[in-house]
Amino acid sequence: MRMTTLPISFADLDAARARLSPFVTPTPARNYGVLDAEVGCDIELWVKHENHQPTGSFKIRNGLSAATALDSEARSRGMIAASRGNHGQGVAYAGQLLGIGATICVPEGNSPAKNQAMRSLGATLVEEGKDYDESLAVAHALAEARGLTMVHSTNDRMVIAGASTITAEFLEQVPTLEALVVAVGGGSQAVGAITAARQKNPEIEVYGVQAAAASAIHDSYHAGEKLRKDSANTFADGLATRTCYEMTFPALCDGLRDFVTVTEAQIAAAVRLYINSGCGLAEGAGAAGLAGLLTLAPRLAGKRVGVIMSGGNIDADILRSVLNPDFE
């Protein structure tokens, strides 16, 4: 791992942990023997259960980190974000907790259940755009027009600092971890992992995983230049982005040991494996780290490896499809 510049400092990480400590309880890190047996290659696997957060996802850390860093004037104006669900819930949860107005831009046809979850936390929803990237453009325009503070799901230092607290906590719970396999949507979780690993133990290998159906960052990493995709059609909506991000892409290029993709069928198989192993319910993005580990297992043989079960918010109709072993 090359010791290059990251978008946040260790001080940013530590400050985020201090700001979050009154609101976020450490989530469990657990080893499951049955899961070890399924992964094979003599790997000891530890699972960090961010699906136990109040909103069912690690994004509560990101939203709270950003919101608690705002001054009183910015809080009075309110926040805005674009989301398919989890980031929006994290921002809305923080807004409700701290008394800050939250507007969330979602794509047309977004999950009704996730829309309702955001509204139930007091958020105002704007439904516009065909996908996350188009909704993000709407959010930027509204932020400028209304004087709202943009809380970008990736291009925000305080958001990345919030995500870094996961791995900092994980490495204190299991200090002997030798590798981490982390899902990449925009990259806040993976760059957070790279940052915390450099602070705690620079020898830890960090691997990235992206959906093959939404592989812009993966493909850019291997091409050595930023690429953009026309679509991001994955059921793992937390990974459904079509482009790279300024604050995370350089750090991913420098900090990841390697970067792999997984198919929709592989992600679905990881969701089923989590359920069958007694680990609990993971959404697609929450199971992508495990799916990536199954691909990387021969390279990580004999190591103690961590994955982050980053969320459990999967719609019932999608879950019914995913539970079919023939899901593609």
Side-chain angles (χ1 to χ4, degrees):
M1 184 183 290
R2 298 200 295 266
M3 304 302 283
T4 54
T5 301
L6 292 164
I8 62 169
S9 66
F10 297 156
D12 291 328
L13 190 166
D14 293 338
R17 294 192 77 182
R19 293 197 309 276
L20 265 59
S21 62
F23 309 111
V24 176
T25 302
T27 55
R30 295 179 178 138
N31 170 254
Y32 299 86
V34 64
L35 197 55
D36 285 352
E38 289 289 338
V39 172
C41 296
D42 197 30
I43 289 171
E44 182 182 309
L45 177 60
W46 286 82
V47 179
K48 179 68 166 162
H49 280 280
E50 288 297 292
N51 59 314
H52 289 188
Q53 294 287 5
T55 62
S57 161
F58 83 97
K59 293 295 183 78
I60 190 175
R61 297 179 186 258
N62 298 13
L64 276 167
S65 178
T68 54
L70 296 178
D71 60 27
S72 59
E73 193 275 332
R75 293 188 185 198
S76 69
R77 288 187 281 110
M79 304 179 290
I80 189 167
S83 177
R84 292 286 301 271
N86 286 343
H87 178 60
Q89 288 182 62
V91 171
Y93 181 90
Q96 185 180 68
L97 199 63
L98 300 172
I100 305 171
T103 300
I104 312 297
C105 297
V106 302
E108 296 172 7
N110 195 50
S111 162
K114 291 182 178 179
N115 286 355
Q116 179 57 33
M118 288 181 273
R119 288 191 176 101
S120 73
L121 291 167
T124 298
L125 262 61
V126 175
E127 300 179 61
E128 189 173 341
K130 72 177 183 181
D131 58 14
Y132 168 78
D133 292 84
E134 289 195 358
S135 294
L136 177 60
V138 173
H140 277 298
L142 289 175
E144 183 174 355
R146 300 179 183 178
L148 304 173
T149 296
M150 168 61 75
V151 182
H152 193 287
S153 62
T154 303
N155 274 334
D156 186 306
R157 289 178 57 253
M158 294 302 98
V159 161
I160 297 169
S164 71
T165 67
I166 306 168
T167 297
E169 191 176 286
F170 200 178
L171 295 179
E172 290 173 359
Q173 293 167 315
V174 192
T176 53
L177 284 178
E178 298 167 272
L180 292 160
V181 182
V182 186
V184 177
S188 69
Q189 186 180 180
V191 172
I194 291 166
T195 304
R198 288 186 186 179
Q199 183 189 50
K200 301 289 185 181
N201 179 3
E203 298 304 312
I204 293 173
E205 301 173 357
V206 182
Y207 294 83
V209 184
Q210 197 162 45
S215 61
I217 302 177
H218 165 273
D219 294 355
S220 300
Y221 171 94
H222 287 285
E225 61 177 330
K226 294 180 182 179
L227 305 174
R228 185 176 179 87
K229 298 290 184 177
D230 293 329
S231 65
N233 295 320
T234 172
F235 83 89
D237 53 9
L239 307 182
T241 57
R242 295 191 277 116
T243 189
C244 301
Y245 297 97
E246 178 183 352
M247 284 194 184
T248 55
F249 183 62
L252 293 171
C253 288
D254 290 333
L256 291 178
R257 180 59 59 94
D258 201 358
F259 202 162
V260 299
T261 59
V262 287
T263 65
E264 299 297 281
Q266 287 174 309
I267 297 171
V271 171
R272 296 193 299 273
L273 181 54
Y274 268 140
I275 294 171
N276 293 332
S277 300
C279 301
L281 181 61
E283 61 190 274
L290 176 59
L293 173 59
L294 292 169
T295 297
L296 291 162
R299 293 176 56 183
L300 297 174
K303 292 184 181 292
R304 187 170 289 110
V305 182
V307 297
I308 299 168
M309 198 175 188
S310 59
N313 297 325
I314 186 168
D315 288 358
D317 57 343
I318 294 175
L319 178 60
R320 280 190 290 269
S321 298
V322 166
L323 290 176
N324 183 344
D326 296 325
F327 178 88
E328 296 182 354

